[in-house]
Amino acid sequence: MNDVGRLQLAARMAHIEPFEVMEIQTLAREVEARGHDVIHLEIGEPDFRTPRPIVEAAQRALDTKPMFYTSALGLAELRDAISKFYRDRYGIDVPAARIVVTAGSSAALLLAFGVLLDPGDEVLQADPSYPCNRHFARTMGGVPRLVPVGPESRYQMNADIARRNWTAKTRVAMVATPSNPTGTMVTPQEVGDLAALAREKGATLLVDEIYHGLTYGVDAHTALEAGDDVFVINSFSKYFQMTGWRLGWLVAPPAYVREVEKLAQNLFISPSTVAQHGAVACFEPRTLEIVEGRRAELDARRKFLVPALESIGLRVPVVPQGAFYIYADCSQLTGDSLAFARRILAEAHVAVTPGKDFGHHEPERHIRIAYTQPVARLEEAVARIRKLTAGS
Ligand SMILES: Cc1ncc(COP(=O)(O)O)c(C=O)c1O
């Protein structure tokens, strides 16, 4: 506010909603300050520290390399390593020239929407989905169009659903696989159909693959298999446990790379140099061994938690195949998931995220539980919620 008390606010700010999970986190800290042991299942990052080889590579770089800006597209060495990773893991040729390293996939999304959207252009997205994605579209002048989805389509938007919701203004269809908050995936066939629909309409498919690597019993296919015209974003945050390093990447169709580069030069100059040097070590066998071990640990947590939640009346309509989230239906226990989340925090000292954060489609009947703590803590969390709900 300026000195006469007038708030000069862009109209877009009316559409930018706060993150309810932050509110829960603040309340959780207050509960902790009163001396209680809070079990944190609300935040989207596991309890694992960044693997040592990555930390050591970054430390070595700090000692031996200049920390100047890199190219806006990222270090050539890292882009080559990502390209090789696509070959090794997916058996697909993605030239390094198409890979743009970014400040987390968040920056990748901003760049993608920045080059694709004109004011008023619509972006089709599933409801529920990760809220920031629609706010990125809004920031670039776009209009997110939320498409209600449920267990019938594994909480994902497929081509039929997209077609039914398509308007003359739709310019982008976006899916995340595995998804946040549901952990469910889009099949390669569904991605292919969405890409074909976007092509037919002269629009673009954008696929968020940030939880790739964290899938259980199923190998993820990249949407890059569906054609060179698909935009894909990915990140070092989740599979490589580098959330705070702020590093991700975008794979853009060849004709867009120069446009993305221009925007990246202006918005960010370059991604973090030290983080990029650290990330080169992500693709070494010893790092992959560490993160694969952690994937197995997350799977063990998932296998414990799904039936345990069901046993206390928190239904899991679709068993998640990836990420580290369970989107549980709490309607047997409450008609108001926000009040429920606050109550289990206040009385059972377990923090979860209410459905409200992820959209407008039946948020009151869902909570998101992140299995970001060891099984023993998850057991304790379930026992506490069981005691609370059995007594009410
Ligand atoms: C689905 C999804 N996309 C994108 C992001 C952004 O992550 P980052 O910017 O750390 O890569 C997140 C973070 O939780 C997410 O859940």
Side-chain angles (χ1 to χ4, degrees):
M1 228 177 269
N2 64 19
D3 53 4
V4 289
R6 189 176 65 87
L7 185 63
Q8 178 180 334
L9 214 49
R12 78 172 67 86
M13 290 311 297
H15 301 282
I16 308 287
E17 292 157 5
F19 228 0
E20 190 63 39
V21 66
M22 295 309 196
E23 182 83 357
I24 292 282
Q25 226 188 346
T26 308
L27 292 175
R29 276 199 211 103
E30 285 168 21
V31 176
E32 274 168 339
R34 291 200 294 275
H36 297 293
D37 165 40
V38 173
I39 303 177
H40 289 275
L41 307 179
E42 78 279 34
I43 305 294
E45 54 188 353
D47 49 331
F48 310 125
R49 297 186 66 159
T50 304
R52 279 311 297 169
I54 302 172
V55 175
E56 284 163 11
Q59 279 167 339
R60 259 193 325 274
L62 281 173
D63 286 337
T64 58
K65 299 201 190 309
M67 286 296 137
F68 299 133
Y69 296 131
T70 66
S71 148
L73 296 172
L75 276 179
E77 195 186 350
L78 182 57
R79 296 168 73 207
D80 286 343
I82 297 170
S83 169
K84 181 171 177 304
F85 186 63
Y86 276 111
R87 220 167 15 254
D88 295 347
R89 178 131 318 178
Y90 301 94
I92 182 171
D93 187 31
V94 181
R98 288 181 57 196
I99 297 167
V100 183
V101 182
T102 55
S105 64
S106 303
L109 272 162
L110 207 53
L111 292 170
F113 287 140
V115 299
L116 288 170
L117 298 179
D118 275 325
D121 285 349
E122 288 182 0
V123 179
L124 282 187
Q125 285 167 300
D127 181 349
S129 62
Y130 175 65
C132 305
N133 287 352
R134 49 184 170 273
H135 294 145
F136 287 125
R138 186 69 74 171
T139 303
M140 284 299 178
V143 179
R145 192 174 159 86
L146 296 184
V147 179
V149 290
E152 329 65 66
S153 64
R154 282 172 274 105
Y155 296 103
Q156 291 283 5
M157 178 173 69
N158 57 34
D160 288 342
I161 298 172
R163 190 181 287 282
R164 282 202 296 278
N165 287 275
W166 208 276
T167 77
K169 293 197 158 174
T170 305
R171 302 295 304 135
V172 175
M174 173 171 190
V175 290
T177 176
S179 133
N180 175 5
T182 65
T184 60
M185 296 173 68
V186 181
T187 66
Q189 174 71 48
E190 287 169 334
V191 171
D193 291 347
L194 280 162
L197 175 65
R199 228 166 268 139
E200 173 196 321
K201 301 281 189 186
T204 300
L205 175 65
L206 195 163
V207 181
D208 179 343
E209 298 188 345
I210 149 164
Y211 291 101
H212 267 219
L214 298 177
T215 59
Y216 315 111
V218 50
D219 283 332
H221 284 246
T222 172
L224 295 164
E225 288 173 5
D228 282 358
D229 52 353
V230 179
F231 277 71
V232 166
I233 64 153
N234 207 322
S235 178
F236 292 96
S237 288
K238 312 287 174 164
Y239 181 46
F240 295 108
Q241 291 110 37
M242 294 180 69
T243 45
W245 298 65
R246 309 308 306 125
L247 207 65
W249 71 88
L250 167 70
V251 182
Y256 285 92
V257 175
R258 177 66 187 140
E259 302 303 317
V260 172
E261 181 180 20
K262 284 192 305 191
L263 197 56
Q265 288 167 340
N266 283 281
L267 291 188
F268 306 111
I269 303 186
S270 77
S272 157
T273 304
V274 64
Q276 292 188 77
H277 283 294
V280 172
C282 284
F283 308 103
E284 290 175 4
R286 60 198 178 122
T287 310
L288 292 172
E289 198 182 316
I290 295 169
V291 295
E292 281 300 306
R294 292 172 174 180
R295 167 183 12 199
E297 161 66 18
L298 288 171
D299 192 18
R301 296 177 184 182
R302 179 185 74 111
K303 286 188 172 128
F304 161 73
L305 200 53
V306 171
L309 292 176
E310 295 265 4
S311 77
I312 55 171
L314 289 168
R315 287 183 43 247
V316 184
V318 186
V319 174
Q321 291 182 299
F324 34 71
Y325 306 113
I326 294 173
Y327 200 52
D329 180 336
C330 56
S331 59
Q332 283 177 5
L333 302 177
T334 178
D336 180 350
S337 65
L338 180 57
F340 183 65
R342 292 197 170 152
R343 177 162 174 243
I344 59 177
L345 174 58
E347 296 177 34
H349 309 144
V350 177
V352 301
T353 310
K356 184 171 181 279
D357 259 354
F358 307 104
H360 311 296
H361 180 55
E362 302 188 325
E364 66 291 338
R365 67 184 292 158
H366 293 97
I367 53 172
R368 186 193 72 176
I369 297 157
Y371 39 99
T372 48
Q373 299 285 317
V375 171
R377 292 290 277 170
L378 299 176
E379 278 170 354
E380 167 73 15
V382 171
R384 288 189 197 174
I385 300 173
R386 186 193 303 278
K387 198 162 156 221
L388 180 77
T389 52
S392 60

